[in-house]
């Protein structure tokens, strides 16, 4: 049951619904002058068990990416560091650090919106999951609400450049 929306949403048909929730998290980051990336973690029943947005500046923590914040919350909710039945929705393709953490947590599925041509580790720059030596292979889906996810990032950096005079 997707408690925050009040009606059941299956993971298969709910990708856009869940990505919209991740976009809401990205907007929170935007409002805090953080790079606007948001993530949510969903269980098989469609319940959100973790959510987060970039907090690296706010927390003075280079590991406080949206995925890590959401993953920590989900692990606390599940009372386990292994999260094999969960799906992560994130607005931007995970970096090496985040895909590493998600892999170690044994996340079942990662769904992301916008590709990251600079640090993406799910196919854009690197494809960590393609390495046969890694013992857990998470399913990865991309492009869900990709335009909307890319738009919030473009707007943020446009405003940032405008504000810096560059």
């Amino acid at each position: 049951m997707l408690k925050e929306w009040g009606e059941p949403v299956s993971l298969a048909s709910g990708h856009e619904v869940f990505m919209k929730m991740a976009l809401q998290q990205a907007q929170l980051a935007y409002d805090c002058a953080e790079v606007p990336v948001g993530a949510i973690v969903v269980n098989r029943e469609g319940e959100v068990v973790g959510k987060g947005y970039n907090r690296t500046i706010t927390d003075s923590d280079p590991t406080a990416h949206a995925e890590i914040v959401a993953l920590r919350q989900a692990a606390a909710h599940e009372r386990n560091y292994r999260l094999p039945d969960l799906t992560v929705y994130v607005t931007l393709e995970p970096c090496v650090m985040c895909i590493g953490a998600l892999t170690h947590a044994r996340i079942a599925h990662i769904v992301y919106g916008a590709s990251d041509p600079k640090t993406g580790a799910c196919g854009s720059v690197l494809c960590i999951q393609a390495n046969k030596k890694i013992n857990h292979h998470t399913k990865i889906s991309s492009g869900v609400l990709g335009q909307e996810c890319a738009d919030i990032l473009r707007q943020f950096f446009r405003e940032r450049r405008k504000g810096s005079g560059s």
Side-chain angles (χ1 to χ4, degrees), residues 41-109:
V41 183
V42 180
N43 67 17
R44 285 183 184 208
E45 291 75 38
E47 176 187 12
V48 175
V49 296
K51 56 187 174 181
Y53 56 89
N54 273 2
R55 302 183 49 86
T56 57
I57 298 165
T58 303
D59 293 351
S60 298
D61 180 355
T63 69
H65 288 198
E67 301 96 308
I68 303 297
V69 174
L71 190 63
R72 287 175 179 154
Q73 196 175 90
H77 180 274
E78 299 293 309
R79 295 188 175 149
N80 199 337
Y81 72 108
R82 296 283 195 224
L83 305 169
D85 296 326
L86 304 183
T87 298
V88 173
Y89 291 84
V90 60
T91 58
L92 182 65
E93 179 180 359
C95 68
V96 172
M97 174 184 68
C98 292
I99 192 67
L102 296 166
T103 299
H104 282 291
R106 306 296 195 262
I107 290 294
H109 192 182

Side-chain angles (χ1 to χ4, degrees), residues 73-150:
Q73 196 175 90
H77 180 274
E78 299 293 309
R79 295 188 175 149
N80 199 337
Y81 72 108
R82 296 283 195 224
L83 305 169
D85 296 326
L86 304 183
T87 298
V88 173
Y89 291 84
V90 60
T91 58
L92 182 65
E93 179 180 359
C95 68
V96 172
M97 174 184 68
C98 292
I99 192 67
L102 296 166
T103 299
H104 282 291
R106 306 296 195 262
I107 290 294
H109 192 182
I110 298 166
V111 180
Y112 69 87
S115 295
D116 185 347
K118 294 186 178 183
T119 63
C122 296
S124 291
V125 176
L126 298 170
C127 189
I128 300 300
Q129 295 304 305
N131 188 324
K132 302 279 189 238
K133 292 182 180 182
I134 293 176
N135 66 338
H136 175 76
H137 294 276
T138 299
K139 178 179 176 187
I140 297 177
S141 301
S142 63
V144 176
L145 298 181
Q147 188 64 49
E148 293 90 332
C149 293

Side-chain angles (χ1 to χ4, degrees), residues 30 33-36 152-160:
Y30 190 105
E34 296 272 2
V35 174
I152 191 171
L153 287 159
R154 272 195 283 279
Q155 180 65 30
F156 175 81
F157 287 112
R158 187 178 305 118
E159 287 179 12
R160 196 165 170 178

